[in-house]
């Protein structure tokens, strides 16, 4: 997709031997992944495979207990300042949208730019309106999240994350909580974002989306990366039996 | 619906909901006289209610000696606050009316009926009262309220901030006016607190209780959830200790122990009682706020962190606004309880509204008039509690809870 930016082999995210335990349960068992600037990564796999846990370690919503994660040259450690710097550079979109229900759409979007980046209200609102136009719902700016449909809420959530002008966008199953007719409107926004050159890690089962825009796909199972490759390799000629089985299960109908 | 006819909605199928129109007779029949035993119940209850109302009215209009109230009205309202300094209290009331009028115009435009009823209250009282000074002051109060309301209609946008500043400034002004500064020769000679009493003292205890216990309670609730064990243990310890002790003993302790803990510093008796109210109320408030904090889904925290908000910004901007909104009905319930609980300061020798009632009943002229005095007290408490609860409902509607 982004052949030009990919040629500069300059990883913006480096994960080395990342481990994570929940109590005794070994959720991530040695994840290695490099993501280059502008690369679109799709992570897929059965539920409980650790894919959501993994994406959440990248902005430290989950703490990894072994290994190394370096985001844009900043290593994630216990240092709170580093964590906040990484979070400023990393936008995240959640399965359940997680908009702030007590704030209007525009206030949801401008809150972090004003309070974290220190922009003026006017400046933040101008950018927020541009983003709302980009995701196609400028007319909803003064409404509350509860008055919007699921698809509209998720598009606001994308705009909210983009308002911080992040270098990386993380999507944690962004369409899994949506009614079928709303999935497309969210995927359209994500495709446009991918084509604009944004670095993205997307946890999703939308294989059409993966085929269209992914540069690299990673198949997760039981806390490990079983297989990775371009969409052509993964869909056309998967090496591992587990990958074949999983793909046949989700693509069978 | 037969199986082989597909049901396709036509646009004509969009119908208004059915409206049921009742005549009075049908309504009566449906709700009161639908069966023979409902009819019987209705008749018995009507007879009973009629009897009670008749007896109460007969007592109130012919037998009751309301002069015990009118003669002692000043005592009920302000206790032994010196007559020469009464203008200060009235100034506070007038200012309050102005602020209420203004705020009502800014935030409560929908409740025009309520505004008229509330605005008419001082004028009605002015008609009823027998004292000329009070009449003038009450009329001034009413006019101040009307002016505030009118101003806010005209300049809503500008006054929004001004009214918030006004409310914040109101409380120090209230205390300077009521308490006074300096000795006998200053324009505002201080009035010793042992002369404060009646409704004035009740309201002051309540206001101080609410204004100070609210931030302390919120901090305690946040502290209880803190990840730092020392802070959370301290908060839990405080909350559980205070909640495990009756209010009266907290009042006694504040009265007796504070001077022991702070030797050399003489703390005023009323201030000690206020401290007792705040100490007690904060612990309960903390638990109510904690309930609100627990109702916030984890996703709200995650979204805040993912945007790079620091913990305290997240707490102030995202978590507390939602948590407090969720517990408004509970908090107002607690404030109403606090308002009524202040009557327990009688125990430590303060003459609040309830205390004054007792002293009035001890006057030789008015022995045995418990019914009149307590009815009046109940009315006053009732009016204030009703206003608090009505305000809470408006506030909830305003912040559209459950939208």
């Amino acid at each position: 997709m982004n052949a030009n930016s990919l040629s500069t082999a300059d990883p913006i995210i480096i994960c080395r031997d990342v481990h994570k335990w929940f109590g005794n349960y070994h959720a991530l068992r040695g994840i290695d992944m490099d993501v280059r600037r502008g690369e679109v990564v799709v992570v897929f796999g059965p539920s409980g495979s650790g894919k959501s846990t993994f994406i959440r370690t990248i902005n430290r919503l989950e703490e990894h207990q072994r290994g190394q994660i370096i985001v844009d040259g900043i290593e994630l450690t216990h240092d709170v300042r580093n964590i906040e710097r990484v979070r400023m550079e990393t936008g995240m979109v959640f399965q359940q949208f997680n908009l702030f229900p007590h704030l209007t759409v525009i206030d949801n979007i401008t809150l972090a730019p004003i309070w974290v980046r220190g922009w003026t209200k006017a400046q933040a609102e101008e950018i927020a309106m541009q983003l709302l136009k980009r995701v196609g719902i400028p007319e909803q700016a003064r409404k509350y999240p509860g008055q919007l449909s699921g698809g509209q809420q998720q598009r606001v959530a994308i705009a909210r994350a983009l308002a911080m002008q992040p270098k990386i966008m993380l999507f944690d199953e962004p369409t899994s909580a949506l009614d079928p007719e709303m999935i497309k409107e969210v995927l359209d926004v994500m495709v446009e974002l991918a084509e604009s050159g944004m670095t993205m890690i997307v946890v999703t089962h939308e294989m059409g989306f993966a085929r269209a825009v992914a540069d690299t796909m990673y198949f997760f199972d039981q806390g490990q990366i079983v297989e990775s490759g371009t969409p052509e390799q993964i869909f056309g000629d998967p090496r591992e039996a587990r990958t074949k089985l999983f793909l046949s299960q989700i693509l069978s109908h | 619906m037969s199986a082989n006819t597909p049901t396709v909605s036509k646009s004509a199928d969009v119908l208004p909901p059915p409206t049921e129109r009742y005549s009075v007779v049908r309504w009566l029949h449906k709700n009161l006289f639908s069966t023979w035993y409902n009819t019987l119940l209705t008749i018995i209850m009507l007879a009973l209610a009629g009897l009670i109302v008749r007896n109460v009215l007969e007592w109130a209009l012919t037998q009751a000696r309301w002069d015990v109230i009118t003669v002692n009205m000043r005592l009920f309202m302000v206790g032994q606050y010196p007559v020469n300094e009464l203008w200060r209290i009235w100034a506070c009331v007038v200012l309050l009316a102005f602020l209420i009028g203004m705020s009502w115009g800014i935030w409560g435009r929908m409740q025009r009926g309520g505004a008229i009823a509330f605005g008419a209250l001082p004028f009605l009282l002015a008609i009823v009262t027998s004292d000329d000074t009070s009449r003038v002051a009450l009329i001034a109060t009413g006019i101040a309220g009307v002016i505030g309301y009118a101003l806010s209609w005209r300049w809503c946008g500008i006054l929004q901030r001004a009214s918030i500043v006004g409310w914040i400034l109101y409380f120090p002004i209230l205390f300077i006016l009521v308490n006074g500064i300096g000795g006998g020769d200053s324009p505002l000679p201080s009035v010793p607190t042992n002369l404060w009493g009646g409704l004035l003292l009740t309201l002051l205890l309540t206001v101080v209780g609410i204004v100070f216990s609210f931030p302390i309670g919120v901090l305690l609730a946040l502290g209880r959830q803190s990840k730092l064990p020392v802070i959370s243990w301290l908060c839990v310890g405080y909350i559980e200790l205070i909640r495990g002790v009756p209010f009266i003993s907290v009042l006694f302790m504040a009265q007796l122990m504070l001077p022991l803990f702070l030797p050399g510093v003489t703390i005023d008796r009323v201030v000690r009682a206020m401290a007792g109210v705040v100490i007690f109320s904060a612990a309960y408030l903390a638990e109510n706020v904690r309930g609100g904090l627990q109702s916030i889904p984890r996703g709200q925290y995650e979204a805040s962190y993912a945007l790079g908000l620091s913990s305290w910004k997240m707490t102030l901007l995202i978590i507390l606004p939602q948590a407090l909104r969720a517990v408004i009905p509970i908090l107002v319930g607690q404030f109403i309880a606090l308002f009524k609980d202040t009557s327990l300061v009688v125990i430590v020798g303060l003459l609040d509204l309830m205390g004054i009632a007792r002293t009035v009943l001890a006057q030789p002229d008015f022995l045995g008039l418990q019914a009149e005095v307590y009815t009046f007290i109940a009315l006053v408490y009732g009016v204030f509690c009703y206003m608090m609860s009505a305000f809470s409902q408006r506030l909830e509607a305003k912040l559209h809870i459950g939208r």
Side-chain angles (χ1 to χ4, degrees):
Chain A
M1 244 330 108
N2 303 292
N4 298 334
S5 46
L6 286 187
S7 58
T8 59
D10 155 32
I12 189 168
I13 301 173
I14 303 168
C15 302
R16 289 280 172 274
D17 192 33
V18 173
H19 287 259
K20 168 81 189 168
W21 287 263
F22 291 112
N24 284 327
Y25 177 66
H26 200 169
L28 294 181
R29 303 194 285 162
I31 304 293
D32 287 295
M33 188 187 287
D34 282 1
V35 181
R36 286 153 305 188
R37 280 177 208 281
E39 187 174 359
V40 177
V41 168
V42 164
V43 175
F44 69 110
S47 68
S49 61
K51 53 194 193 303
S52 280
T53 307
F54 168 69
I55 200 176
R56 289 154 59 88
T57 59
I58 292 169
N59 65 352
R60 197 83 166 182
L61 288 185
E62 302 285 357
E63 194 179 308
H64 62 286
Q65 285 140 317
R66 218 173 89 189
Q68 229 186 355
I69 299 177
I70 299 167
V71 180
D72 198 22
I74 305 162
E75 178 165 8
L76 282 168
T77 59
H78 285 286
D79 190 334
V80 179
R81 279 166 309 168
N82 278 358
I83 295 172
E84 282 179 6
R85 274 167 64 204
V86 166
R87 285 175 177 163
M88 280 171 73
E89 306 301 341
T90 318
M92 189 163 202
V93 176
F94 299 87
Q95 183 178 356
Q96 299 295 340
F97 327 137
N98 294 345
L99 293 177
F100 305 130
H102 63 301
L103 301 176
T104 58
V105 164
I106 190 120
D107 289 341
N108 263 279
I109 299 173
T110 56
L111 183 115
I114 291 173
W115 289 91
V116 181
R117 290 246 190 254
W119 296 356
T120 64
K121 194 170 186 261
Q123 200 183 356
E125 289 202 344
E126 194 190 321
I127 294 196
M129 284 314 295
Q130 285 171 11
L131 286 168
L132 279 176
K133 285 198 190 94
R134 190 168 167 193
V135 301
I137 40 173
E139 72 284 357
Q140 312 287 353
R142 303 286 158 189
K143 287 195 185 162
Y144 284 91
Q147 297 167 305
L148 304 185
S149 73
Q152 290 172 329
Q153 289 193 47
Q154 193 62 298
R155 286 188 277 162
V156 172
I158 294 172
R160 178 176 71 177
L162 289 175
M164 285 293 282
Q165 303 188 327
K167 294 178 180 158
I168 302 159
M169 286 286 285
L170 307 173
F171 292 85
D172 187 5
E173 304 207 30
T175 56
S176 300
L178 294 175
D179 290 334
E181 77 271 22
M182 294 169 184
I183 290 176
K184 185 176 178 297
E185 64 188 52
V186 172
L187 288 181
D188 286 346
V189 172
M190 290 168 62
V191 168
E192 187 266 328
L193 194 60
E195 284 166 354
S196 75
M198 176 66 78
T199 310
M200 292 162 66
I201 301 184
V202 185
V203 173
T204 187
H205 291 139
E206 294 296 331
M207 288 300 131
F209 170 81
R211 198 190 291 270
V213 297
D215 297 304
T216 318
M217 295 177 70
Y218 290 84
F219 176 60
F220 270 53
D221 196 18
Q222 297 176 354
Q224 287 176 313
I225 295 174
V226 175
E227 181 168 359
S228 68
T230 63
E232 292 75 32
Q233 289 167 340
I234 296 286
F235 290 117
D237 182 25
R239 288 190 312 276
E240 299 289 328
R242 275 190 284 175
T243 318
K244 279 180 197 158
L245 178 65
F246 183 76
L247 282 173
S248 73
Q249 282 165 340
I250 63 169
L251 295 173
S252 62
H253 51 87
Chain B
M1 199 66 56
S2 69
N4 49 9
T5 31
T7 54
V8 178
S9 295
K10 289 174 234 139
S11 59
D13 290 337
V14 180
L15 298 172
T19 46
E20 282 187 84
R21 273 168 204 252
Y22 282 135
S23 64
V24 177
V25 177
R26 268 198 67 192
W27 186 90
L28 284 175
H29 182 260
K30 184 169 182 242
N31 291 290
L32 297 173
F33 303 101
S34 53
T35 57
W36 67 267
Y37 49 86
N38 276 350
T39 310
L40 191 66
L41 267 178
T42 302
I43 291 170
I44 293 175
M45 285 305 170
L46 269 181
L48 211 61
L51 199 66
I52 292 172
V53 169
R54 202 197 63 149
N55 285 351
V56 167
L57 280 181
E58 192 184 316
W59 170 79
L61 296 176
T62 62
Q63 294 165 13
R65 287 183 50 200
W66 293 117
D67 55 332
V68 63
I69 308 299
T70 49
V71 168
N72 291 303
M73 185 54 96
R74 188 163 61 82
L75 219 46
F76 279 117
M77 291 298 121
V78 297
Q80 295 171 335
Y81 205 87
V83 185
N84 291 338
E85 306 297 335
L86 266 187
W87 64 270
R88 298 194 211 166
I89 309 293
W90 280 116
C92 292
V93 173
V94 170
L95 193 57
L96 181 67
F98 179 73
L99 282 172
I100 290 178
M102 200 155 83
S103 306
W104 203 310
I106 293 171
W107 286 289
R109 295 203 167 182
M110 292 306 117
Q111 285 88 42
R112 223 174 294 177
I116 292 168
F118 202 72
L121 197 66
F123 296 110
L124 286 178
L125 289 173
I127 296 170
V128 175
T129 186
S130 55
D131 174 48
D132 284 334
T133 330
S134 308
R135 184 169 299 131
V136 173
L138 280 167
I139 290 172
T141 306
I143 291 173
V146 172
I147 291 176
Y149 192 66
L151 281 180
S152 71
W153 272 94
R154 185 74 183 75
W155 292 288
C156 179
I158 309 166
L159 286 181
Q160 198 155 345
R161 244 179 227 167
S163 74
I164 293 171
V165 174
W167 279 110
I168 294 171
L169 285 181
Y170 181 72
F171 294 102
I173 292 174
L174 174 78
F175 273 89
I176 290 169
L177 275 173
V178 172
N179 188 43
I181 21 173
D185 51 350
S186 88
L188 284 176
S190 56
V191 177
T193 54
N194 59 359
L195 300 181
W196 301 10
L199 184 61
L200 170 72
L201 182 59
T202 298
L203 289 179
L204 283 177
L205 285 168
T206 309
V207 168
V208 169
I210 292 173
V211 169
F212 285 90
S213 70
F214 184 74
I216 297 175
V218 169
L219 285 179
L220 282 170
L222 293 173
R224 186 168 187 164
Q225 298 208 321
S226 168
K227 284 189 190 122
L228 303 172
V230 178
I231 292 179
S232 107
W233 291 341
L234 277 176
C235 293
V236 172
Y238 176 88
I239 292 167
E240 296 306 332
L241 178 74
I242 298 298
R243 292 205 313 159
V245 174
F247 183 39
I248 293 182
S249 41
V250 175
L251 273 180
F252 263 120
M253 278 198 266
Q255 216 53 230
L256 302 173
M257 312 275 273
L258 274 187
L260 288 182
F261 291 151
L262 302 167
V265 189
T266 48
I267 304 172
D268 186 88
R269 243 166 22 121
V270 170
V271 175
R272 275 180 274 164
M274 285 172 174
V277 172
V278 171
I279 288 170
F280 186 75
S281 179
Y284 279 86
L285 207 134
E287 283 301 273
N288 290 338
V289 172
R290 187 167 69 101
L293 290 175
Q294 282 175 343
S295 74
I296 307 297
R298 213 174 62 142
Q300 294 290 307
Y301 293 86
E302 292 181 349
S304 313
Y305 283 137
L307 286 168
L309 290 173
S310 60
S311 290
W312 71 266
K313 279 181 190 161
M314 173 188 73
T315 306
L316 277 181
L317 299 168
I318 307 299
I319 305 303
L320 271 184
Q322 295 185 61
L324 292 179
R325 228 170 258 212
V327 294
I328 286 174
I330 305 172
L331 291 188
V332 174
Q334 198 201 329
F335 291 151
I336 288 174
L338 185 149
F339 173 63
K340 293 184 292 183
D341 283 349
T342 55
S343 57
L344 288 169
V345 297
V346 173
I347 305 272
V348 291
L350 298 181
L351 295 177
D352 73 323
L353 190 54
M354 188 61 96
I356 293 287
R358 290 194 182 183
T359 60
V360 166
L361 285 171
Q363 290 171 354
D365 290 349
F366 300 113
L367 289 176
L369 295 183
Q370 277 88 350
E372 287 84 346
V373 170
Y374 284 122
T375 304
F376 173 69
I377 299 287
L379 269 178
V380 175
Y381 275 111
V383 166
F384 277 93
C385 290
Y386 174 75
M387 287 196 296
M388 284 161 90
S389 115
F391 176 74
S392 136
Q393 282 172 20
R394 296 279 177 274
L395 195 63
E396 280 170 53
K398 186 95 191 161
L399 299 174
H400 24 196
I401 285 179
R403 98 186 127 232

